[in-house]
Amino acid sequence: MASVTFDPAAGLFHLTNGRVSYIISLADGKYPLHLYWGKALRTVRDDLVCRRLGRRTHDAFTMHETPLDRLPQECPVFGCGDMREGMLQVRHSDGSEALDLTYLSHSVSDEKPALPGLPSARGEGSRTLTLTLRDEPTGVEVDLLYTLWDDCDAIARSAVIRNNGKTPVTLEKALSFCLDLEGSGYELVTLQGAWARERQWTRRRLVMGDQGTGTVRGASSQQTSPFLALTGDGCTEDSGECMGFALCWSGSFFANVHVDQFSSARVMMGVQPFDFSWELKGGECFRCPEAYLVYSFEGLGGMSRAFHRLVHSHITSGAFARASRPILINNWEATYFDFNEEKLLSIASCAKEAGVDLFVLDDGWFGRRDSDNCSLGDWTDDLRKLPEGLKGLSRKIHAMGMKFGLWVEPEMISPDSDLYRSHPDWCIHSGDRIRVENRHQLVLDMTREDVKAYVKQAIGDAIGRAEADYIKWDMNRNINMIGTCTLPPERMKEFSFRYILGVYEVMRDITSRFPRVLFESCAGGGGRFDLGMMCLMPQAWTSDDTDAWMRCGIQYATSLVFPPSCMGAHVSAVPNHQTGRVSPLSARAAVAMGGTFGYELDPTKLSEEEKADIRRYNERVRAWQDVLLYGDFLRLKSPFDSGECAWMSVSPDREKAVVTHVFRDGAPNAMPGLLKLRGLDPDADYRDEDTGLVLGGDEMMLRGIPVPPARGDYSACQFFLRRV
Ligand code: DGJ
């Protein structure tokens, strides 16, 4: 059970669920200091303040002597003794920025406080500590929120900044948390990338100064992810100390580790301070997005499984959160914009015969969209391509016994669209300057009430008309040249944050009006693959790169935070449209089984043999989906380290497991090798469904399971193991 205790004599707050502890002390009854986060402890008795300051008592502790610079704090601000960058910065009406935030009160609750407007984790089975600090001269107050769950080793942290004074203040930096660690002997893991090569695993040693990641693109982005991890010496996939940090936010963010003069590491994460400010009038408050801190003493794998548990138990919601997902076929790579109803129906019926559940109509069904240079915003059926509109197509697909899904890109507007001709002011723009397009499109100003109302209505109508069972919500460009009529010039830096709040509002409206529809988010592939999105839509398109080997790396690294149930993964045609590679169908299917399974090809062009294979893959996915999507996920071999990739999923009762192994290169004259598995019951025997091979769990974990040698490039093998 998660608990929060306060020992007034020692000034200690202790959050624990019996597996991890997080301990805060109040220095001199005033300043919350970070004492410990790690494996559950009984308590901490050492007096950190005295030890750090070389004193016998801290009775005379005052910040005027600048001791805060040496102390690990929970809510540091620059300019009141601490010379490091802090997590908050407030500009007072006289231009000064000092804040002396000292303890005012605290409360403990088993109701997790809501963060209105922001996505956040649900609080079943949790305890929350709210620590309130106050700057006496101005009345600025900060609530530090800490939630710990019974069933998962993540701590949610966020902050609420309230102006309880009378004079307005301006927030210039409002990060979600700060964690000051004693020592800096860690490696930093971040996820860096680009379009079609999102989330590449990057690892480096911490050095003195600043290091981390972040983005100013207005989206969590393809270039990086709102995540970082610190691994202790000798940390592996299944042993050693590891700390993971992830933000529940889909816009620009900041994630940094600062190693200071005493080799302490300060980890901070939150909304990107670049181009951010927020006016707080008397009585107003600002809520920072939630961040999740995961401590693992079972290495990176333990960290990931804690994140996966958090996602499954407290982040994803709705009818599909824990349910099986339909096997889909999407027409994008099969046709791009060049389709008509007849073509779509031929794809759908062929896929249906092979056992696919859901046909998804991608981009190009609306306005006069024959290429990506027009019609975004005109969500009216293109009757040239669909003579009976979405309704007619959907009815025909449904009559085949398939579900029907639809692509939309609600946040965008094409300059060549009826919407733009009627409302040229609805896009984000900077006065009379040129409107810089990207993929020939501009971004709708989601801070405007009229724009949000239009999007809610137009997209809602399309979903209703299509009687859709599934929606792919795309977003294909980032934001710059910011300007809006909704804010006065001096408050323009509130825009990026308010834009994402607008997106969340519209998404919440539409997803709640269609509770039976499965929503998948997408952003030119994986450009908004974050926990904020996952609160609203339980799966996301992982990358536009559908090449099997590239997907090995992308999905492997994405699994640091996200379970397979979140990762859209499809089998596509060869040569692959992004890399030109030719990989066997078996490898493409094996890798796609590492996510929510589907196809992105024209099945009418497949041979009878390939169609038969597809039928088998679909039966497999259906039979093993509970393990594939919701089992414990274990990374076995990193494609970032060698030309091999392997992962496995094990059912929580250890009755079933699926193992996937891929070789990048074919090797001449190679011998079978052994792959060491994990997570099985050592005392049980398991039979592989295909070969009938029976081996002990202990043997497969300690000695390994035999992997056939690579037969050609990108060859894969899979084992579907059941306890005998
Ligand atoms: C980007 C997506 O990631 C693709 O899958 C496809 O939907 C295109 N947009 C359509 O424009």
Side-chain angles (χ1 to χ4, degrees), residues 344-357:
L344 300 178
L345 290 173
S346 72
I347 293 176
S349 80
C350 189
K352 168 70 187 162
E353 272 172 39
V356 172
D357 306 310

Side-chain angles (χ1 to χ4, degrees), residues 247-270:
L247 197 62
C248 191
W249 178 241
S250 310
S252 298
F253 71 91
F254 171 88
N256 193 61
V257 185
H258 175 77
V259 177
D260 71 10
Q261 57 187 333
F262 304 114
S263 287
S264 302
R266 169 167 286 183
V267 187
M268 298 196 293
M269 209 176 217

Side-chain angles (χ1 to χ4, degrees), residues 23-38:
I23 303 179
I24 302 163
S25 81
L26 281 180
D28 202 25
K30 285 183 179 169
Y31 300 102
L33 302 185
H34 180 73
L35 286 202
Y36 178 77
W37 178 40

Side-chain angles (χ1 to χ4, degrees), residues 186-190 202-204 206 211-212 228-230 257:
Y186 298 102
E187 280 189 334
L188 170 67
V189 178
T190 58
T202 314
R203 199 163 179 164
R204 60 205 134 133
L206 286 186
Q211 49 248 285
L228 58 84
L230 293 176
V257 185

Side-chain angles (χ1 to χ4, degrees), residues 687-710:
R687 173 181 286 112
D688 173 40
E689 197 169 77
D690 288 332
T691 58
L693 176 76
V694 177
L695 293 177
D698 54 348
E699 180 180 348
M700 288 189 276
M701 293 194 290
L702 297 172
R703 184 167 178 272
I705 190 168
V707 171

Side-chain angles (χ1 to χ4, degrees), residues 615-629:
R615 208 164 296 125
R616 276 193 306 106
Y617 299 140
N618 294 339
E619 281 160 16
R620 262 278 154 73
V621 167
R622 223 162 265 125
W624 290 81
Q625 211 186 37
D626 54 336
V627 189
L628 289 165
L629 296 185

Side-chain angles (χ1 to χ4, degrees), residues 332 362-363 369 407 439 472 474 476 522 524-525 541 544 600:
W332 178 240
D362 209 279
D363 196 352
R369 190 151 163 100
W407 176 98
R439 207 195 189 206
K472 176 176 173 188
D474 205 348
N476 280 293
C522 172
W541 182 225
D544 274 349
E600 195 94 9

